[in-house]
Amino acid sequence: MNKTINQKAWFFVIPVFVLVAFNAIIPLMTVVNYAFQETFGNNVFMWEGTRWFKQIMLSERFHASLGRQFLFTFIILFIQIPLGIAIALTMPKEGIGVPVCLVLMSMPLLIPWNVVGAMWNIFALPDIGFLGHSLNALGFDYNFTQQIGDAWFTTILMDVWHWTSLVVLLSYAGLRSIQPAYYQAAEIDGASRWAIFTKIELPKMKKVLTIAILLRFMDSFMIYTEPFVLTGGGPGNATAFLSIDLVKMALGQFDLGPAAAMSLIYFFIVLLVCWVFYTLMMRNEEKS
Amino acid sequence: MAKVTLKGLSHSYLKTQSSDADWAIRGVDIDWNDGGAYALLGPSGCGKTTLLNIISGLITPTKGDILFDDKVISGLNPVERNIAQIFQFPVIYDTMTVYDNLAFPLRNRKIPEEEIKVKVHEIAEMLELSSTLNNRASGLTADGKQKISLGRGLVRSDVNAIMFDEPLTVIDPHLKWILRSKLKELHQKINRTMIYVTHDQTEALTFADQVVVMHEGQIVQTGTPVDLFEKPKHTFVGYFIGSPGMNVLPCQIKGNDVIVNGKKIETHQQIKKSNFNKTEVGVRPEFISFSNEGIPVKILSVSNTGRHKIVDTKSETGKIKIIAKSNEDIPAGSAFLKFKKEYTYTYGDSWIIE
């Protein structure tokens, strides 16, 4: 086949290019700019090569916050994905219950992130918060502002409250799209409820679950506002996840070079994990 | 294997029913012998899928009983009824291999693995799936998947009946023929009661020994393909079966005479009563010929299908189609038609007058 060669077609790409340049490439390039240089302000820059990258990669502080980040993301995925599927399975399939459940489920998703943080901060205060006060009244020694375990518990609980709904809605959509004939055939084949779940429902939900896991991974890996308002990264650095640590470094200490290098490393980790995960999940799809 | 009997079966999807239209099926009585091949034929929405799902136990009927071998089984679930059903769209378990798909109903019934192996290989052989047994089922073509659905019904040697709900809908036309003859062949080999639901007359007539024609939730006729063609008991059967369908013309009954367009015509039956709201005469295009006298018509158009010619004509009270031999000369302009007496019937309120 002969392709028509027409270089004028490039003009059609210009609007997209300009748009992407302004919202992604140019801001990212300033970060790249900072990552390889040292500045003392007044627009004076000195070339530093890969020094900041080496510094970050070898820094224990970065390792610690990266570890906390992975641990946090892993825990919330481990809770939210099964919990979301379980809730979706128990949701009504017809009648007035459907819109009621859907609206109730969407509520947490509609609340601004810093409001969620503030809400949970007050909710969990050991002396006046409903959660904190109740736990203490029940005999638990609970104080999320001072005890590391309590701070983690509260942060995770807050994220589960805020985001499980997303998994529920996606799973519910996936479940609803399964043709009734599959359930009828399974009934005739004598399949148990567990077999229906593992052999029909889970495989049919694979695509929406892939999206759910990807979205939840990215969002939780970049989480900032809610823990910042809730714990401020504390006690100590116990809940200082990557974003919180990054902001501390960039705006608290004004270490622009290392912070820029850290941003890029951070960015590549997110990209890499998403790519590996997506490739693994979709590998079988292409075969068949 | 079992004899299937339906007694006074009615079903409505509504909680309260005020008119006939509220019933998906009404007053269905059927007797199907053990090992027969039956078809339920009717247009979309006539209630045939509802009826099938009632037999398999996926729907509980509002009224009436279902009997397998003269035992009432209305309260049993699909597993207890021990039936197999093949759906319109191939239902396969995506993550399993073809082998595991076929073995699935047996494994659920806790049958020993050696026995399963023998059975699965036997069925795979029959359906020509042997070479793909270890492949993932999701990679197969639509007809391959439908064969798996079919195979899952066949592996259980003790099923009471195998039911097909328009199983060839998603299959390519040239494969339809192959699968259909495969079904027929299987039926002869395993000799189990098979019930086949379709809206396609060719499928029904080639598959079944006995065809049940449904219309608006009711059975309008049960019979062999030849019966349905030669002696439709309801005008619906007349024009639903056959291509083109039966010609139905309004008529008057005066004493024992049947009058169409002012001409007295001879019909198959002796007319005994005539107190109907509507009386009609039905005759298939195959049984009409041109003549020197009879019903006067105007010739509208002639289309040649290769095997024969279809002539569209217009009489005083309605259009009449005629099938003529492809080498026959068709009179131009106007002509007279003669109906073959043995195949001309009178209908009162759409039902044949006996």
Side-chain angles (χ1 to χ4, degrees):
Chain A
M1 224 172 67
N2 289 323
K3 273 187 183 167
T4 316
I5 294 176
N6 184 355
Q7 302 295 358
K8 281 182 202 142
W10 287 106
F11 286 111
F12 291 107
V13 185
I14 288 176
V16 177
F17 184 77
V18 170
L19 212 68
V20 173
F22 271 99
N23 77 28
I25 300 174
I26 294 173
L28 192 68
M29 286 322 287
T30 51
V31 176
V32 173
N33 203 18
Y34 278 112
F36 292 95
Q37 303 183 68
E38 169 78 296
T39 176
F40 298 107
N42 295 331
N43 225 7
V44 181
F45 287 92
M46 283 166 281
W47 179 254
E48 291 287 354
T50 55
R51 183 175 149 206
W52 304 132
F53 289 93
K54 282 182 192 147
Q55 187 184 321
I56 290 293
M57 293 299 274
L58 296 171
S59 119
E60 272 177 30
R61 176 178 162 186
F62 177 70
H63 294 168
S65 56
L66 184 65
R68 281 191 294 269
Q69 185 65 70
F70 269 116
L71 183 65
F72 174 76
T73 295
F74 185 75
I75 291 174
I76 65 104
L77 282 179
F78 196 74
I79 298 173
Q80 290 177 5
I81 301 297
L83 183 64
I85 296 171
I87 295 174
L89 282 172
T90 52
M91 267 169 61
K93 289 175 182 61
E94 53 191 359
I96 185 74
V98 176
V100 170
C101 280
L102 288 179
V103 169
L104 285 178
M105 279 293 148
S106 317
M107 293 294 262
L109 299 174
L110 300 174
I111 300 174
W113 297 0
N114 51 356
V115 176
V116 172
M119 251 167 63
W120 277 78
N121 188 316
I122 297 165
F123 183 51
L125 280 177
D127 42 2
I128 55 163
F130 181 72
L131 175 74
H133 186 77
S134 310
L135 282 174
N136 280 301
L138 286 170
F140 295 99
D141 177 22
Y142 172 84
N143 189 340
F144 77 93
T145 58
Q146 281 165 19
Q147 290 157 27
I148 294 174
D150 295 347
W152 270 78
F153 170 76
T154 316
T155 314
I156 287 165
L157 194 64
M158 173 182 68
D159 198 75
V160 168
W161 175 82
H162 194 183
W163 288 111
T164 304
S165 301
L166 182 74
V167 183
V168 173
L169 295 180
L170 285 168
S171 306
Y172 187 71
L175 281 173
R176 299 302 296 131
S177 69
I178 301 175
Q179 297 262 354
Y182 280 89
Y183 291 103
Q184 294 173 343
E187 205 178 337
I188 286 163
D189 287 338
S192 62
R193 185 66 190 85
W194 177 248
I196 291 175
F197 177 65
T198 54
K199 307 296 184 205
I200 298 173
E201 290 174 334
L202 266 190
K204 296 270 169 217
M205 282 200 287
K206 188 179 159 188
K207 281 190 180 140
V208 289
L209 284 180
T210 307
I211 291 170
I213 292 173
L214 270 180
L215 285 176
R216 282 317 298 131
F217 166 76
M218 289 190 295
D219 278 348
S220 67
F221 208 78
M222 301 187 289
I223 192 167
Y224 176 75
T225 319
E226 301 140 282
F228 181 75
V229 178
L230 180 71
T231 62
N237 271 333
T239 54
F241 303 120
L242 278 178
S243 293
I244 293 181
D245 201 31
L246 179 66
V247 172
K248 267 188 196 169
M249 190 185 285
L251 302 180
Q253 299 157 225
F254 222 70
D255 282 336
L256 292 182
M262 183 176 163
S263 315
L264 289 180
I265 294 169
Y266 191 176
F267 175 56
F268 281 115
I269 293 173
V270 174
L271 220 59
L272 185 73
V273 173
C274 289
W275 178 74
V276 168
F277 176 75
Y278 190 78
T279 313
L280 284 179
M281 287 299 278
M282 290 300 142
R283 198 180 43 177
N284 287 329
E285 287 300 300
E286 279 160 33
K287 264 190 207 157
S288 58
Chain B
M1 296 209 275
K3 188 177 124 186
V4 178
T5 314
L6 308 180
K7 271 190 189 157
L9 217 54
S10 293
H11 184 72
S12 172
Y13 290 102
L14 307 172
K15 284 202 181 71
T16 52
Q17 303 83 20
S18 51
S19 72
D20 279 355
D22 290 343
W23 294 92
I25 59 166
R26 53 200 157 102
V28 168
D29 292 292
I30 287 180
D31 260 305
W32 278 327
N33 289 329
D34 187 10
Y38 300 98
L40 273 174
L41 176 66
S44 302
C46 74
K48 53 196 193 312
T49 298
T50 304
L51 191 58
L52 197 74
N53 287 340
I54 287 174
I55 301 171
S56 58
L58 296 168
I59 294 178
T60 313
T62 315
K63 278 193 261 179
D65 281 317
I66 309 131
L67 295 88
F68 283 180
D69 285 333
D70 299 321
K71 267 184 293 191
V72 177
I73 51 114
S74 307
L76 303 184
N77 68 33
V79 177
E80 293 163 330
R81 288 182 193 196
N82 208 2
I83 45 87
Q85 188 165 348
I86 288 93
F87 298 90
Q88 201 165 358
F89 298 95
V91 174
I92 54 150
Y93 303 102
D94 295 323
T95 50
M96 299 193 218
T97 61
V98 174
Y99 181 95
D100 291 335
N101 259 281
L102 294 176
F104 189 63
L106 299 177
R107 286 186 181 146
N108 287 331
R109 286 169 177 79
K110 309 265 179 287
I111 287 164
E113 204 60 35
E114 308 90 76
E115 229 174 284
I116 294 180
K117 199 174 170 188
V118 175
K119 201 71 214 177
V120 167
H121 280 283
E122 182 193 326
I123 295 300
E125 190 71 29
M126 221 187 263
L127 293 171
E128 290 152 16
L129 283 170
S130 300
S131 58
T132 58
L133 273 180
N134 294 319
N135 296 6
R136 280 242 323 232
S138 56
L140 268 63
T141 53
D143 62 305
K145 287 179 180 174
Q146 198 56 299
K147 276 188 191 173
I148 296 177
S149 313
L150 176 61
R152 282 207 318 275
L154 296 175
V155 281
R156 285 150 51 204
S157 44
D158 58 340
V159 290
N160 282 319
I162 304 174
M163 291 185 278
F164 302 87
D165 188 358
E166 313 211 7
L168 302 179
T169 312
V170 292
I171 311 294
D172 286 345
H174 69 284
L175 289 170
K176 269 186 190 179
W177 280 104
I178 300 172
L179 263 185
R180 202 186 301 152
S181 44
K182 192 90 212 164
L183 281 180
K184 191 86 193 160
E185 183 192 319
L186 276 172
H187 178 252
Q188 276 149 8
K189 211 180 277 178
I190 61 172
N191 210 26
R192 261 176 242 163
T193 315
M194 288 190 177
I195 301 163
Y196 191 106
V197 160
T198 178
H199 63 257
D200 181 329
Q201 48 166 314
T202 327
E203 273 177 34
L205 300 178
T206 51
F207 173 81
D209 313 327
Q210 280 259 310
V211 179
V212 175
V213 184
M214 290 188 72
H215 177 52
E216 290 173 353
Q218 274 182 307
I219 291 179
V220 284
Q221 188 170 1
T222 306
T224 62
V226 176
D227 287 342
L228 299 179
F229 186 78
E230 293 185 348
K231 193 181 180 188
K233 290 203 170 146
H234 189 280
T235 49
F236 174 77
V237 180
Y239 44 73
F240 193 67
I241 290 174
S243 173
M246 187 166 73
N247 297 299
V248 179
L249 298 164
C251 70
Q252 287 89 46
I253 295 177
K254 284 184 182 149
N256 289 339
D257 294 345
V258 180
I259 320 263
V260 176
N261 289 343
K263 298 262 180 206
K264 175 174 178 289
I265 61 159
E266 306 244 311
T267 65
H268 190 86
Q269 317 102 301
Q270 282 287 316
I271 306 299
K272 293 190 189 93
K273 62 173 201 171
S274 57
N275 51 337
F276 299 101
N277 293 325
K278 181 176 77 171
T279 48
E280 286 155 316
V281 154
V283 59
R284 291 201 176 274
E286 287 84 351
F287 305 126
I288 304 177
S289 52
F290 293 104
S291 169
N292 296 329
E293 48 169 15
I295 313 276
V297 290
K298 263 201 201 126
I299 310 262
L300 296 178
S301 66
V302 180
S303 49
N304 201 331
T305 65
R307 276 180 305 162
H308 51 240
K309 284 178 185 162
I310 297 172
V311 187
D312 282 297
T313 67
K314 192 173 182 299
S315 76
E316 211 175 292
T317 52
K319 289 186 176 170
I320 303 175
K321 282 181 195 287
I322 301 138
I323 290 184
K325 288 195 191 79
S326 58
N327 57 2
E328 195 174 325
D329 289 328
I330 309 296
S334 56
F336 293 99
L337 299 180
K338 190 167 161 35
F339 301 164
K340 228 183 210 177
K341 184 191 167 199
E342 309 88 87
Y343 299 110
T344 307
Y345 300 96
T346 337
Y347 296 86
D349 296 335
S350 302
W351 294 90
I352 199 162
I353 302 172
E354 301 273 14

